[in-house]
Every structure is written in structure tokens, then in C-alpha cells.
Amino acid sequence: MPSTLRTARAPGRVNLIGDHTDYTGGLVLPMAINLETRLTFEAAPHDERPTVISADGDPNTARYVDAVFAELRDSGMNPTPLRGTLTTTLPVGAGLSSSAALESALALSFGAPHATENDRVQLARILQHAEQRAVGVPCGIMDQLICLVGRADHAMLIDCDTLDAAPVPLPSGVEVVVRFVAERTLAGSAYSDRVAQCAAAEQLIGPLRHADLEAAMTISDDVIRRRARHVISENIRVREFATALTSHDMPLAGELMYDSHRSLATQFDVSTTQMDSLVDELRNTPGVIGARMTGGGFGGCIVALVEHGVDIPGWRVSASSGASLVE
Ligand code: GLA
């Protein structure tokens, strides 16, 4: 029987606001972007191990293939082995979730259900575990979820406690520019430390999602107090930012992005001097509405909201739909 070639596509993401909130069930506002990963594949015999060749020779691909296959199998989803080839327009290691895109493309190709919103939310949970299995970092669910539930022309306001995702239209006349700063460094252990520090804060004042800044101020340990302050204030900013976008209050949206950056830099200690100076530079650039570091930090990218047509260097990205099988 001649085998049939099919292709799955899965987008990367950029987070407009709400970083280091997802793993305490907080709020995030990412968008899936038009930089994406494609996996062209054919089904393989049931007793064969899935094999994927990556066009750019990324040595980490096999780890993700094995992790996604194993997590789907452990969740009772009966994944189908495949032979596939991978291409991507996403820069790897830049903090635009090339790994969540890879995981999602793999999952759809292995035959994971993804027809309904609920299927996609369940799948995001499985892929979050696959990421943890592949790299041993206790990541939250934002990257996998936005990669699966993204919508064209919209950012998504995601409640990482209930996993509800509400589309927020991006105002016309506004563009999103992503500027690569540096390959991420130390992301693994430093990220795990932040997760542990937030858990320590929750031991003292309960779930950060429901705590207020006053409660955070009662924490005597300086580091734990600052971590809590960031998370609590960031959740507030995400809501205000979503409202600002909806009501086209761009000056407010911009200020909230700068506030978010400052909080990530001074309370959460995940920025770098290079990222801080780029955000300062953008703040003084005409036509830039707001800018901040995006994602886990320690390198990666800056995201900026700019007025239409403003010419600053970087990738001009548009909001795209979640992962799908295309042919
Ligand atoms: C990484 C993780 C996400 C999230 C961000 C920070 O991208 O994978 O789960 O925690 O960092 O917002």
C-alpha cells in the first residue's frame, strides 16, 4: 500500500504580558505567531520507534520525539509511530517556544485528538509534562496551551488556574515586533529556583493567585517577598492590559508593559543588562508604544508594541491560529 504524506504545522508564541505567573495558576496574555514548525510525516509500523529528521540537524529533536510519544502513550492515547521530517522558521533557543511548537506538531502527527477546545486543553497538559520529561525543567502550561489554542489576529487571555482562554483582538494600527537579544543562559536551574521560591511564598501566604500585595509585604525573606510581589502585581497588570487593548487605550497598554519589565528585572531578577538597555532604548524611540522582555528571561527576546509602519529592527509578527494538520 503506498504511504500517504501528511503535514502538521505548529506556531511559536510571544507573550505580550504575564510572565512567571503560569506555574502559580496566574494570568498570561500570549499570542501564537506566524513563525512556525512543520512536520511532514508518514505512518510507520506499530512496532517501530518514531523517527524524525530535523532539516537543521537539531540534536535535541529525538528527546522531544520520545517524550511526546511516551506521554501520549502513558495518557492512554495510543499514538501512531511515524517517520517524519521537520522544518521550522522559528529561531531555536530564542525564547519563542520552538520546543512547544515541536511538541504540538509531533502530537498532532501521532494522532492526538485536537478537534475541540477541550481536546486542546487536555493535550496542552500532556505536552507540558512532555517538556518537563524532555528537559527536566518544571515549566508552566502557557507555551503549549497558546501553541494549541492561538487565534489569528488575537492575543489570548489565559487563566492558568481554570485553563480558560479568551481571545483579545489586537487593535488595528498596532504591530508587534520581536527583537532577539541573546541566547538564553542558565535558564534551567534559575527557572527551577523561581518555581521553588514561588512555592515557598505560597507556603506563607497561600495561593499567589488569590493573595494581595499587602499579604506579600508580610513576608520577611527579601527574595521570597519580591518574588511574590512580582507575581501578584503581574496578574493585576495582565487584566489591565487586556482591558487597555480592548478599549484601545494604547498609552496605558504601553505603560503596563514597561511596568511588567521593571518588575521582572527588579523583583523577579530574570532580566539582563542587555535586555534592560534595549527596553530603555525602545522607550525613547518615537512610535514605540511599549516594550518588555518576554518569556522566561535570562536572554531570549524583547517584545514591543509599535504604531503601524514604525521602522525598528526585529521580526514583525502577526497573531496566528493554533497548531493544525494542513494536508
Ligand atoms: C517559559 C515557560 C513558561 C512560562 C515562561 C515565563 O517560557 O515554559 O511556562 O513560565 O517561561 O512566563
Side-chain angles (χ1 to χ4, degrees):
M1 203 177 77
S3 61
T4 321
L5 279 183
R6 304 196 68 192
T7 297
R9 59 158 279 281
R13 66 101 183 90
V14 68
N15 191 19
L16 297 181
I17 197 162
D19 272 310
H20 288 280
T21 50
D22 61 348
Y23 48 82
T24 46
L27 301 173
V28 296
L29 205 138
M31 63 187 229
I33 57 177
N34 56 330
L35 298 172
E36 63 181 27
T37 291
R38 282 181 177 243
L39 179 60
T40 297
F41 64 96
E42 58 183 347
H46 271 282
D47 54 354
E48 193 175 296
R49 226 180 126 177
T51 45
V52 174
I53 297 165
S54 101
D56 57 8
D58 184 352
N60 294 316
T61 304
R63 270 200 285 168
Y64 287 101
V65 173
D66 293 346
V68 171
F69 196 80
E71 286 294 336
L72 288 173
R73 195 194 46 213
D74 294 355
S75 316
M77 287 204 175
N78 200 16
T80 319
L82 55 77
R83 297 173 193 149
T85 309
L86 202 64
T87 56
T88 189
T89 52
L90 271 165
V92 173
L96 297 179
S97 290
S98 58
S99 59
L102 170 57
E103 289 150 10
S104 302
L106 284 166
L108 266 51
S109 306
F110 286 144
H114 59 279
T116 68
E117 193 78 11
N118 190 41
D119 289 339
R120 287 173 180 256
V121 171
Q122 296 317 318
L123 185 53
R125 280 189 212 268
I126 294 170
L127 296 182
Q128 176 191 11
H129 292 135
E131 174 78 25
Q132 295 173 346
R133 186 170 191 145
V135 291
V137 174
C139 67
I141 200 169
M142 168 170 71
D143 304 345
Q144 290 75 20
L145 191 54
I146 187 61
C147 179
L148 289 161
V149 305
R151 221 184 260 195
D153 305 321
H154 293 75
M156 302 297 285
L157 173 58
I158 298 175
D159 181 325
C160 296
D161 186 23
T162 61
L163 301 185
D164 285 335
V168 178
L170 291 168
S172 59
V174 169
E175 291 180 319
V176 179
V177 178
V178 175
R179 178 101 67 96
F180 177 62
V181 177
E183 289 259 331
R184 280 169 303 166
T185 49
L186 279 176
S189 62
Y191 186 94
S192 309
D193 291 347
R194 298 307 183 280
V195 174
Q197 290 156 353
C198 287
E202 296 199 315
Q203 286 292 316
L204 298 168
I205 60 170
L208 291 177
R209 175 61 191 279
H210 305 298
D212 57 22
L213 286 168
E214 234 166 80
M217 295 317 283
T218 66
I219 300 175
S220 55
D221 183 285
D222 172 65
V223 171
I224 307 297
R225 183 178 62 249
R226 289 189 293 114
R227 302 301 185 251
R229 282 182 66 181
H230 166 71
V231 174
I232 296 166
S233 63
E234 186 81 345
N235 283 331
I236 297 170
R237 281 187 289 272
V238 174
R239 266 202 206 293
E240 290 179 351
F241 184 87
T243 308
L245 278 193
T246 312
S247 59
H248 295 202
D249 186 345
M250 298 324 290
L252 175 59
E255 276 315 308
L256 290 163
M257 290 177 83
Y258 293 121
D259 290 350
S260 167
H261 182 82
R262 198 173 312 112
S263 179
L264 286 159
T266 64
Q267 308 296 309
F268 222 70
D269 301 315
V270 291
S271 184
T272 64
T273 39
Q274 228 186 329
M275 298 179 108
D276 295 346
S277 21
L278 181 53
V279 169
D280 281 347
E281 181 191 317
L282 289 167
R283 188 168 196 149
N284 294 313
T285 304
V288 173
I289 297 163
R292 58 186 286 279
M293 58 153 274
T294 180
F298 309 103
C301 289
I302 298 293
V303 61
L305 272 189
V306 305
E307 287 162 13
H308 179 74
V310 167
D311 190 20
I312 60 164
W315 295 295
R316 218 151 276 258
V317 295
S318 53
S320 102
S321 57
S324 55
L325 287 169
V326 286
E327 42 196 75

